Amino acid sequence: MNKRFFVPLALLVASILTTGAFAQMAAPSGPIVLHIDAAKVVAQVSPTLYGLMTEEINYSYDGGLYAELVRNRTFQDGAEEPVHWSTVQDKGGTGAIALDRGQPLNSVLPVSLRLDVTAAPAGSRVGVANDGFWGIPVRPATTYRASFYAKAATGFSGALTVSIESSDGATVYASAPVSGLGEQWKKYTATLTTGKISETADTRLVIAAGSTGTVWLDLVSLFPPTWHNRPNGNRPDIMQLLADMKPSFLRFPGGNYLQGRTLATRFDWKRTLGDLAERPGHLDDAWRYRSSDGMGLLEFLEWCEDLNMEPVVGVFAGFTLGGVPTQPGPALEPFVQEALEEIEYIAGDTSTTWGARRAKDGHPAPFKLTYVEIGNEDFFDTRRGPGTYDGRYAQFYDAIKPKYPRLQIIATTKVKGHAMDVLDEHFYPRQAEVFEADATHYDSYDRAGPKIFVGEWATRIGTPTPNLLAAIGDAAWMTGMERNSDLVVMHSYAPFFVNVNPGGMQWPSDLIGYNALHSYGSPSYYAQQMFSSHHGDVVLAASAENNPTREWQPPAGRNAKAPPAPKQVPAIYYVATRDSAKGTIYLKLVNSVATPQTVQVELSGGASIASKGAAIVLTSTSPTDTNSITEPAKVVPVTMPLTGLGSTFTRELAPYSVTVLELPPR
Ligand code: AHR
């Protein structure tokens, strides 16, 4: 991230209390007047302005969007013990479980789970239990698909029972028998359907035997219904939250997850393809847990397809978080080739080597691809010596562009001596005022330079998910990006996801929170959703008179010798766009202060709007109000009818509020 603001909590609270108060505001000399000139189009709105950025952080995929319910399904978490697995011994049955490296499923999955049943009196059972990702979500009248590989030692002739049950085993919600185990590895499947039960995640998956002997298991999987019923698919509730944002692109796979700390732990896309039994998974050491890679390259692309998004793929560019950057030149060439192959996998037709591989993996049609990003936050390599990115970017660019002239090549930091198509900039302030004071950031950017992708940004106030104050900072910042979307062609909040269970979060302030059963959008999520689903295709000239300001002391940078000069922060932020086909004007207004603000809207330039429209308002009683698993809808937008509209009208903006006015033509 190229703009980090580390502000101690006490200072942050003090700053909110002192600078957020209306008492600090300069007295306005009259009502706030907002002039909108409907005849003056100042920019086209980029059709790809609003998108998503995700990576494996905070249990975003495993334990999040990726619907797999079994944790550590290939027994590779933990070297000694089968973590998240335990032994079940009921009604006099006895036995034990252990990791077994002597009986691998194949060369890719080197560890299996061995179950030794030593005593099995009639009516007993001995088995293995998995506790899922903080529980296995069990809902009424729901069908789950279980699968696993198994084999038995000579002498075992019994059946297995697969069941979803309460954590203490007292209640079985659904179960199915699996029989016919032999001495060779084979895949078994079972369908488990729940009845009239109450939803719960205080549960476990059990595979148990009722007879003595030895059984080995691997790749134990359980899927609930998925979005569009895709096999190996995604969780529907989280997909719905994303669909409601109408995103136009998905930046993946990172973020630091792309890079890893070593070459062995980067996102190595080739190892994420094909049958799950062919995917080794890898340690996500950027965020300190193991990834199953069930969310592999093709799953990312199918996710794009499901939500009508374009992939924005980050290719590994020779720079890990922990190692020495690969020097441009011959040493970098294998990674350049790998990137070319990845592009071919995504966008090549089936006559190409990697397009054919994609077809073999189940998706013959190529995906639309416009943007490829070279690495992630490569300015960090200058911390280990002279930077290498100028040369690395140039080498990738010069290999990709001749082969794919239509691709736009994104740089992750400014490159000297070479053309950049697009530049990715990241912002993570911890005070709303940082974005508010900087909402004009792109107004004066050089239009002759590269286009801008704000690939990661967020106001980081609130944990695990941001509060209303953060949403106000975000909304002020988004007015600036939308106003400048001739230049800012794409932007994406980050991080997107957090599993809110203890231990689930590595990075505080994430847009969408969830546990096994439920998910919710933060106030910042709703601000995003309001912006992304209400805008036109052209930006109209707009200016404000008498916009009150307050003085704000910006935080000192990490190496600053003296505090920076105080800044004047406006009370309201705005942007007006028009849908050329419908004629509707969308006016976004953000009130960043604790008192209501009345805005007189003056429309000129021949705008003729209907007397009725709609207002969508996001606010709450306190700026620290937020949403959570237990209160998912505490801060949500409310839509209300508007009357009395015309070329002049007034609107009172609630304290700490984000408003979209939808003004249809007459
Ligand atoms: O969004 C979290 C992290 O912040 C990303 O992985 C990285 O690109 C940035 O530093």
Side-chain angles (χ1 to χ4, degrees):
M1 59 207 80
N2 59 0
K3 291 207 171 178
R4 292 178 195 249
F5 296 89
F6 295 97
V7 184
L9 188 62
L11 183 63
L12 173 62
V13 171
S15 127
I16 291 165
L17 292 176
T18 56
T19 64
F22 186 68
Q24 300 287 315
M25 288 173 49
S29 55
I32 303 171
V33 183
L34 188 60
H35 298 280
I36 298 168
D37 185 347
K40 198 165 169 197
V41 169
V42 292
Q44 302 293 312
V45 178
S46 165
T48 52
L49 184 59
Y50 293 94
L52 314 180
M53 183 275 169
T54 72
E55 62 180 312
E56 185 57 276
I57 181 175
N58 305 320
Y59 293 86
S60 286
Y61 310 140
D62 289 355
L65 180 69
Y66 178 53
E68 172 65 84
L69 299 178
V70 176
R71 190 162 180 180
N72 189 18
R73 67 186 178 187
T74 59
F75 311 110
Q76 293 176 91
D77 293 4
E80 305 301 327
E81 296 295 323
V83 293
H84 298 289
W85 291 91
S86 56
T87 314
V88 174
Q89 302 175 95
D90 282 347
K91 298 191 178 149
T94 58
I97 62 170
L99 296 179
D100 193 341
R101 290 188 170 74
Q103 300 288 337
L105 174 63
N106 56 32
S107 59
V108 172
L109 300 179
V111 192
S112 61
L113 186 66
R114 175 186 169 121
L115 169 67
D116 290 309
V117 183
T118 45
S124 71
R125 67 171 188 165
V126 179
V128 300
N130 186 268
D131 58 11
F133 292 92
W134 295 274
I136 287 174
V138 175
R139 297 189 172 86
T142 303
T143 296
Y144 298 77
R145 298 191 191 286
S147 65
F148 55 87
Y149 287 82
K151 67 173 188 173
T154 317
F156 180 86
S157 57
L160 299 176
T161 304
V162 186
S163 52
I164 305 174
E165 54 188 53
S166 56
S167 298
D168 60 5
T171 310
V172 175
Y173 298 109
S175 74
V178 168
S179 56
L181 265 64
E183 290 177 33
Q184 301 300 320
W185 283 109
K186 190 177 154 201
K187 187 174 180 180
Y188 298 87
T189 59
T191 300
L192 295 93
T193 302
T194 58
K196 272 190 176 179
I197 55 163
S198 300
E199 67 173 25
T200 175
D202 185 9
T203 51
R204 62 185 187 178
L205 174 75
V206 173
I207 302 176
S211 53
T212 56
T214 298
V215 170
W216 289 269
L217 300 168
D218 208 345
L219 190 50
V220 181
S221 173
L222 181 71
F223 271 82
T226 57
W227 179 263
H228 291 174
N229 293 320
R230 259 197 202 280
N232 200 41
N234 292 335
R235 211 174 123 162
D237 58 333
I238 302 178
M239 284 293 272
Q240 188 60 57
L241 283 165
L242 299 180
D244 290 346
M245 297 179 76
K246 302 188 173 41
S248 61
F249 68 86
L250 172 69
R251 175 181 177 231
F252 69 88
N256 294 150
Y257 181 57
L258 168 68
Q259 301 168 281
R261 292 191 185 277
T262 67
L263 287 179
T265 56
R266 71 198 161 98
F267 183 82
D268 190 349
W269 63 273
K270 288 183 187 172
R271 291 160 68 89
T272 72
L273 301 179
D275 191 278
L276 296 182
E278 299 302 323
R279 300 188 198 186
H282 76 285
L283 177 66
D284 173 10
D285 56 0
W287 302 110
R288 302 177 297 282
Y289 61 95
R290 207 180 151 79
S291 166
S292 71
D293 287 333
M295 180 68 83
L297 177 55
L298 185 58
E299 284 76 18
F300 279 112
L301 297 167
E302 289 176 337
W303 171 12
C304 290
E305 191 166 60
D306 280 349
L307 295 187
N308 202 18
M309 307 182 285
E310 262 202 58
V312 175
V313 64
V315 296
F316 179 74
F319 174 49
T320 66
L321 295 173
V324 176
T326 309
Q327 291 298 317
L332 192 65
E333 207 42 37
F335 301 120
V336 175
Q337 288 312 313
E338 211 176 73
L340 287 168
E341 290 167 345
E342 188 170 4
I343 292 167
E344 190 173 285
Y345 184 91
I346 298 170
D349 65 39
T350 51
S351 67
T352 63
T353 307
W354 286 97
R357 172 63 203 261
R358 185 196 60 242
K360 180 170 166 270
D361 291 343
H363 202 288
F367 294 88
K368 184 179 178 209
L369 182 69
T370 309
Y371 295 99
V372 173
E373 181 154 7
I374 310 303
N376 177 61
E377 295 193 339
D378 287 82
F379 44 85
F380 277 115
D381 83 346
T382 56
R383 299 198 177 165
R384 307 221 179 83
T388 58
Y389 193 62
D390 293 348
R392 288 190 289 118
Y393 178 83
Q395 195 169 334
F396 276 87
Y397 189 104
D398 293 346
I400 296 170
K401 205 71 175 183
K403 198 162 178 205
Y404 301 98
R406 292 158 68 98
L407 283 185
Q408 297 292 292
I409 314 297
I410 303 170
T412 71
T413 186
K414 279 188 183 148
V415 172
K416 286 190 220 79
H418 199 283
M420 290 175 282
D421 295 335
V422 182
L423 175 62
D424 180 0
E425 300 194 320
H426 296 176
F427 303 85
Y428 284 111
R430 291 172 185 262
Q431 285 177 274
E433 285 88 349
V434 174
F435 269 160
E436 291 163 10
D438 208 20
T440 55
H441 187 89
Y442 289 109
D443 289 7
S444 53
Y445 250 51
D446 179 9
R447 261 52 186 178
K451 297 290 186 192
I452 300 294
F453 172 28
V454 187
E456 295 181 27
W457 65 270
T459 309
R460 298 183 62 193
I461 309 173
T463 181
T465 49
N467 63 19
L468 176 61
L469 187 63
I472 300 295
D474 290 352
W477 177 243
M478 282 192 286
T479 62
M481 291 195 284
E482 192 169 291
R483 183 171 55 249
N484 289 286
S485 68
D486 59 317
L487 174 74
V488 180
V489 289
M490 303 185 289
H491 72 77
S492 42
Y493 188 101
F496 241 75
F497 296 137
V498 62
N499 189 313
V500 301
N501 280 293
M505 182 181 73
Q506 290 84 49
W507 177 286
S509 291
D510 306 288
L511 204 65
I512 290 172
Y514 43 80
N515 60 15
L517 280 167
H518 302 292
S519 54
Y520 69 94
S522 63
S524 294
Y525 163 85
Y526 286 107
Q528 287 266 329
Q529 195 216 60
M530 286 166 68
F531 269 64
S532 62
S533 49
H534 298 92
H535 65 81
D537 55 329
V538 292
V539 182
L540 303 178
S543 60
E545 275 176 69
N546 299 320
N547 191 355
T549 59
R550 63 195 193 277
E551 189 172 283
W552 168 68
Q553 174 61 58
R558 247 191 291 188
N559 301 320
K561 296 202 171 66
K567 287 189 175 176
Q568 290 300 312
V569 181
I572 70 150
Y573 301 84
Y574 49 88
V575 62
T577 61
R578 184 178 52 215
D579 181 319
S580 306
K582 289 196 286 190
T584 300
I585 293 175
Y586 297 96
L587 175 56
K588 289 164 179 148
L589 297 160
V590 182
N591 179 8
S592 67
V593 295
T595 50
Q597 299 291 308
T598 302
V599 177
Q600 187 178 316
V601 178
E602 301 279 348
L603 282 161
S604 62
S608 174
I609 60 167
S611 61
K612 292 183 180 170
I616 303 114
V617 180
L618 180 73
T619 190
S620 194
T621 44
S622 161
T624 57
D625 281 354
T626 197
N627 297 333
S628 61
I629 293 287
T630 48
E631 283 188 296
K634 185 170 175 139
V635 188
V636 293
V638 174
T639 302
M640 53 198 91
L642 279 179
T643 53
L645 299 173
S647 54
T648 300
F649 65 92
T650 57
R651 172 85 197 164
E652 187 178 277
L653 306 179
Y656 297 115
S657 63
V658 182
T659 300
V660 178
L661 300 183
E662 204 175 310
L663 311 173
R666 188 149 52 181

